[in-house]
Amino acid sequence: MTPLEFRNQKRQILSGADLSQKGSIDKPIEDLINLINSKDDFVTTSSCSGRVILYCESAVEGRKKGCKWLYTTHDLVNVEEFLSKVDSTEGDLVLKFEPMILHIQCISLEKAKSVHVCAVQSGFRNSGISVGKHHKIIVAVRSCMGLEVPLSSDGRLMVSDEYLKFLAGVANNKMIENQERTERFSTSMKLLLQ
């Protein structure tokens, strides 16, 4: 991809609509995203700062119909609020923690390698580089410290309140670790992009 092609793609990406369910950049990584996008050789294509979600899966005749989010946070779980949203009559409930994920398109493989080193050294060891059609180079910054726990089945809660509180604590510990890794990555990227 030529520098002109990259600049044109970057312009299209930054002028396009945010297609995420939330419709905006997550506050905890807004400064990092703005820093990356302010540099000529990089553009973010998607991001999530990390989140905890309580959702329900519903099925029709054995087929997955869809899911409904009952509780979500990009920060620590508020245990009382989380517990108030646990309603097994909604469908099959699942608690999920997803760590930060960030996709950064880079102008060159050399630039991508430097971002990848920052990611891995910051604790995002599941990060990788992909080269797509027309030599589009993307760094996926990610880790594998997720959590996904089914809580109910067929309208029946399968766990106790005590276990729900325990899971909220586990999710919060993962969120704290995620925030620390994100801060390390942000610091490392600031040094790289100076």
Side-chain angles (χ1 to χ4, degrees):
M1 175 178 293
T2 68
L4 179 61
E5 289 171 326
F6 180 84
R7 282 194 298 274
N8 287 338
Q9 261 195 1
K10 179 173 180 168
R11 195 175 312 108
Q12 286 178 330
I13 290 166
L14 294 179
S15 65
D18 187 320
L19 301 176
S20 66
Q21 183 167 359
K22 186 176 155 213
S24 63
I25 297 169
D26 299 338
K27 268 288 192 224
I29 58 171
E30 191 172 30
D31 289 343
L32 173 62
I33 300 295
N34 290 335
L35 172 69
I36 293 167
N37 289 334
S38 74
K39 302 303 177 182
D40 292 339
D41 298 340
F42 307 95
V43 63
T44 57
T45 59
S46 66
S47 65
C48 176
S49 64
R51 63 187 175 195
V52 179
I53 310 163
L54 172 67
Y55 68 94
C56 67
E57 297 175 329
S58 53
V60 176
E61 297 174 13
R63 293 178 50 204
K64 188 174 177 182
K65 181 181 172 187
C67 71
K68 176 181 174 185
W69 289 16
L70 303 174
Y71 175 81
T72 183
T73 183
H74 294 275
D75 206 339
L76 298 180
V77 173
N78 176 312
V79 178
E80 272 51 10
E81 188 180 350
F82 163 64
L83 291 174
S84 75
K85 302 293 184 181
V86 175
D87 180 1
S88 58
T89 63
E90 290 277 0
D92 292 344
L93 300 179
V94 178
L95 178 67
K96 188 172 188 175
F97 167 77
E98 297 173 319
M100 184 191 81
I101 186 161
L102 180 57
H103 293 98
I104 305 168
Q105 186 173 339
C106 304
I107 197 166
S108 68
L109 194 53
E110 181 183 315
K111 297 287 185 181
K113 287 178 182 177
S114 61
V115 172
H116 183 261
V117 168
C118 288
V120 171
Q121 289 178 346
S122 300
F124 293 96
R125 292 183 182 88
N126 202 30
S127 298
I129 299 172
S130 65
V131 180
K133 286 184 180 179
H134 311 293
H135 304 286
K136 183 177 176 180
I137 302 165
I138 301 281
V139 178
V141 179
R142 58 185 180 229
S143 70
C144 55
M145 55 183 250
L147 172 73
E148 189 168 0
V149 183
L151 304 177
S152 68
S153 179
D154 296 325
R156 192 170 137 235
L157 193 61
M158 305 302 286
V159 297
S160 66
D161 277 0
E162 181 182 8
Y163 190 68
L164 289 171
K165 290 175 186 173
F166 167 76
L167 286 176
V170 171
N172 281 341
N173 288 337
K174 287 181 175 289
M175 183 62 81
I176 290 166
E177 175 62 26
N178 178 67
Q179 290 166 342
E180 289 170 355
R181 290 180 187 189
T182 301
E183 188 57 41
R184 287 194 300 267
F185 179 67
S186 184
T187 300
S188 188
M189 286 297 290
K190 283 175 190 166
L191 291 171
L192 173 70
L193 300 176
Q194 279 180 355

